[in-house]
Amino acid sequence: MALRVGALLAIAAAILGIGWWLARTGDPPAIAVANAWARPAGLGETAAVYLEIDNTGQSPDRLTGVETEAAANADIHDEQMEGEVMRMRRVAAVDLVPGKPVAFAPGRDHIMLFDLKRKLAEGDSFPLTLVFDKSGRFAVQVRVSNHGAGP
């Protein structure tokens, strides 16, 4: 009997927690990530990660950070033309508007990995965690390829 009461209390707490979260956010997180890839790079080097993020929910969200065990540091970067020079800079966040996918691609927004802790070889993959303001943490596998997001 005590086990049933404990289980019922746990279920009730979970339902209340989900209800509180939905009331606070308006809708459940709905982040889709596709085509995560990086070019091969050597130990200690830098590399860029490219991917597509789609906010399929009803509320805006923001990508606020990235983490990986494959590098000492990872940052969100963008590239912009200043005069005749392409400049890369770290950005604090990327806004994700519902229904407007964001492409992280060569020559555009990307994720920079600094001081690689391991070699990124063609055909390998490594984990990357995307951190969102509302949706929390989202783990993806990044495929290493000289040919982009293709097979």
Side-chain angles (χ1 to χ4, degrees):
M1 179 70 174
L3 181 59
R4 282 188 178 172
V5 171
L8 289 174
L9 287 174
I11 292 169
I15 291 170
L16 287 173
I18 291 169
W20 172 85
W21 181 81
L22 286 173
R24 193 177 122 251
T25 62
D27 67 299
I31 297 294
V33 179
N35 301 322
W37 68 281
R39 289 188 180 100
L43 178 69
E45 295 181 1
T46 60
V49 174
Y50 309 107
L51 47 80
E52 299 162 13
I53 303 174
D54 192 7
N55 177 356
T56 59
Q58 302 295 315
S59 301
D61 205 343
R62 298 176 71 190
L63 175 64
T64 58
V66 290
E67 302 167 355
T68 182
E69 293 179 1
N73 191 29
D75 292 326
I76 306 165
H77 279 230
D78 73 359
E79 290 187 21
Q80 294 184 357
M81 204 61 161
E82 291 181 9
E84 295 185 27
V85 178
M86 182 66 78
R87 302 267 187 215
M88 179 178 67
R89 66 183 173 117
R90 181 186 180 283
V91 294
V94 173
D95 292 326
L96 300 167
V97 177
K100 294 194 178 192
V102 175
F104 287 70
R108 299 177 57 186
D109 291 350
H110 57 276
I111 295 166
M112 284 299 301
L113 306 180
F114 297 96
D115 192 15
L116 290 174
K117 294 181 180 179
R118 58 177 264 203
K119 179 181 176 183
L120 303 182
E122 177 82 25
D124 286 349
S125 65
F126 62 92
L128 180 78
T129 300
L130 305 172
V131 182
F132 297 94
D133 190 35
K134 293 181 182 175
S135 300
R137 303 168 67 78
F138 194 98
V140 299
Q141 281 295 117
V142 178
R143 196 171 55 77
V144 180
S145 172
N146 272 314
H147 306 290

